[in-house]
Amino acid sequence: MPAQPQLLAGYTILDLSQYLSGPLCSTTLAALGADVIKVEPPHGDGNRQLPPFMENGDADEPQHNRSLVFLKRNQGKKSIVLDLKSKGGQQVLHRLIAKSDILLHNFRDGVAERVGADYASATATNKDLIYCSITGQLGSIGEVPSDSPPQPAGVIDVVGQALSGFLGSTGPKGGDPVRSRAPIADQTAGLYATISILAAVIERDVRNNGRGSRQLRVPMVESLAALLWDESLDAFQQQGMENRMGNISGRLCPYNTYRTRDGAFVTIAAASRGEWQRLNEAVQLPELNRPEWQEAAQRSASRDTIDTILADWAAQHDRDDLVRALRAHGVTVGAVLEIDDMLSQDAYRESVLYPIKDDNFGVLHAPRFPIEIDGDRPEGQTGKVPRLGEDSVEVLRDTAGLTDGEIDELLSSGAVSSAQPPVRAER
């Protein structure tokens, strides 16, 4: 088997983040070969408390080491437990900062300063540190009383979706807002953080010979809003379109989901003139093949009529037969996969997921790293899942450079905690 791509081998990420946005960023960097040291508080990353919990056959295994949520978001990392409220914990933190290339956190406003992990303190210890903080928002977005400034508060995914405008613009026409089931505000911020970190690393290490720091602030709200405003929402509103339009597009037609005879759904899209012509060749419906509908703008103006014609046609065919027929003509079409479809298709499972065996749930699944590099898929994130504080002693010794006596003193004081051997995901 060829060696796995390790594009970031030799880089050390000090990850103080919890839940999703930060852990997604550091998990991506770990998958690319970086050494990620996950700093956890004594009670652990909040993900450790979230169900479902795996039953891996060890009755003595604490629940905080069995969260499937934590497993999916923190593979390929080392866990050290630091009490950052203590002087000893903060001293260890700065020993680690001195040996790290990148520091990542998603603390609420003011927390980094209280625990000595703010940009000024961190770069006083390591002047060449890339410092990335994921925050709720940069601007004062959302309603607050005019006579009082907004107080520092956390932004979790559903609030990020709401304040970005994503929630308000998503849902059925004339209906209520609908949250994306995937935590897209967290995920978008995590990926923007990854992009920003890699850009800063290139600047420092390629252009500046490894010297210089950067302070990166990545907001959840503005990150998701930046994706939303790729759509011309203001222009569409001026044209009288509703805030929420279901699955249709404001500028493309057809571009929708359609129910098939067997109760399933498909998506059909025809953006260009060529795609529209291929769709007409496939369906052979005279009422659809009008000369004026060769132009995208004219099709959009007649969206309701076109969607009605295609909906009636789709209702006469089973999903898989319809998909095969349209693809045979080069039409852009896809089956709307339900969870059972995803798990039953070998191609989907092998490309998107990898299995985790559990005594209680049977086979569960976690996402594979999606990018192929030189024909191979990195698997850095699908290895060791750290128990809480499992790597504390190793990190103190090998990264912080502490002696056995210093380590024993820190463990005795409670500034650092340690734990047991690793959990490994079965492939």
Side-chain angles (χ1 to χ4, degrees):
M1 181 177 180
Q4 294 295 318
Q6 298 287 299
L7 277 64
L8 297 179
Y11 285 93
T12 298
I13 319 295
L14 192 60
D15 179 14
L16 281 67
S17 67
Q18 297 190 52
Y19 293 105
L20 178 52
S21 58
L24 173 62
C25 172
S26 60
T27 296
T28 303
L29 299 173
L32 291 170
D35 183 19
V36 177
I37 298 172
K38 183 175 180 65
V39 177
E40 299 191 65
H43 53 77
D45 182 335
N47 277 323
R48 291 185 181 273
Q49 312 304 323
L50 300 180
F53 298 101
M54 297 176 65
E55 300 295 339
N56 58 16
D58 186 350
D60 297 326
E61 186 70 74
Q63 180 173 276
H64 61 238
N65 287 334
R66 295 187 284 105
S67 169
L68 186 63
V69 177
F70 181 85
L71 181 149
K72 292 183 178 185
R73 298 175 180 176
N74 289 283
Q75 298 194 48
K77 305 176 186 179
K78 298 174 182 176
S79 170
I80 178 173
V81 173
L82 296 183
D83 180 1
L84 294 180
K85 296 178 181 178
S86 70
K87 182 178 178 181
Q90 292 183 19
Q91 289 174 339
V92 172
L93 176 66
H94 279 268
R95 292 288 290 264
L96 296 174
I97 289 173
K99 299 297 180 67
S100 298
D101 297 286
I102 296 127
L103 184 148
L104 171 69
H105 74 75
N106 58 357
F107 291 134
R108 289 191 179 202
D109 290 346
V111 174
E113 288 77 10
R114 290 201 298 271
V115 301
D118 56 287
Y119 178 69
S121 300
T123 51
T125 297
N126 182 347
K127 67 183 187 314
D128 300 319
L129 185 73
I130 303 300
Y131 182 98
C132 182
S133 60
I134 299 175
T135 187
Q137 59 192 81
L138 297 180
S140 299
I141 299 172
E143 276 194 50
V144 294
S146 58
D147 59 348
S148 64
Q151 298 299 309
V155 173
I156 62 173
D157 182 79
V158 68
V159 175
Q161 291 194 34
L163 293 180
S164 69
F166 188 93
L167 187 61
S169 61
T170 305
K173 187 175 181 179
D176 294 342
V178 175
R179 178 185 71 87
S180 166
R181 182 166 183 175
I184 192 169
D186 271 312
Q187 292 168 331
T188 302
L191 293 176
Y192 268 120
T194 305
I195 293 167
S196 302
I197 286 170
L198 295 176
V201 166
I202 290 171
E203 180 198 43
R204 183 191 66 187
D205 295 350
V206 177
R207 295 174 55 187
N208 297 334
N209 298 314
R211 299 299 180 188
S213 66
R214 284 290 185 187
Q215 182 180 15
L216 311 172
R217 292 185 66 206
V218 181
M220 289 174 61
V221 172
E222 285 88 345
S223 292
L224 186 54
L227 298 187
L228 176 65
W229 279 88
D230 179 60
E231 289 290 319
S232 303
L233 301 183
D234 45 0
F236 287 146
Q237 185 183 58
Q238 292 169 16
Q239 293 172 5
M241 291 189 181
E242 298 189 35
N243 287 348
R244 293 180 283 281
M245 302 189 300
N247 295 321
I248 67 173
S249 164
R251 55 176 174 259
L252 301 176
C253 178
Y255 195 96
N256 207 344
T257 56
Y258 305 92
R259 184 186 291 271
T260 55
R261 182 169 57 191
D262 52 357
F265 291 88
V266 296
T267 58
I268 300 173
S272 69
R273 176 177 292 195
E275 289 173 324
W276 174 250
Q277 291 171 346
R278 291 194 293 274
L279 175 61
N280 273 281
E281 291 169 2
V283 299
Q284 292 292 306
L285 297 173
E287 63 271 32
L288 199 65
N289 194 10
R290 298 184 188 177
E292 65 269 24
W293 287 350
Q294 295 293 317
E295 301 299 327
Q298 295 300 319
R299 291 198 301 275
S300 292
S302 303
R303 179 182 296 104
D304 290 346
T305 302
I306 291 173
D307 273 343
T308 298
I309 294 170
L310 284 176
D312 291 343
W313 177 82
Q316 300 172 40
H317 301 81
D318 292 339
R319 183 190 71 181
D320 293 347
D321 293 338
L322 184 153
V323 169
R324 277 192 292 269
L326 293 187
R327 283 187 176 171
H329 286 81
V331 176
T332 306
V333 60
V336 176
L337 298 184
E338 307 284 353
I339 293 174
D340 287 345
D341 296 318
M342 302 175 208
L343 297 178
S344 65
Q345 292 186 10
D346 291 343
Y348 188 99
R349 291 199 315 273
E350 292 169 4
S351 187
V352 178
L353 306 170
Y354 70 90
I356 303 164
K357 295 179 181 178
D358 179 72
D359 291 347
N360 187 38
F361 294 108
V363 177
L364 298 168
H365 297 85
R368 289 190 65 190
F369 188 73
I371 298 170
E372 186 176 88
I373 301 171
D374 293 338
D376 206 354
R377 299 275 289 277
E379 295 184 358
Q381 75 199 72
T382 62
K384 180 173 72 67
V385 182
R387 285 183 166 89
L388 179 61
E390 173 194 332
D391 306 290
S392 292
V393 172
E394 175 191 337
V395 171
L396 291 174
R397 182 184 62 244
D398 298 343
T399 305
L402 301 182
T403 66
D404 289 344
E406 290 171 322
I407 293 171
D408 289 341
E409 185 176 340
L410 286 165
L411 291 171
S412 298
S413 71
V416 180
S417 303
S418 186
Q420 315 168 31
V423 174
R424 294 183 182 277
E426 295 187 38
R427 287 188 59 77

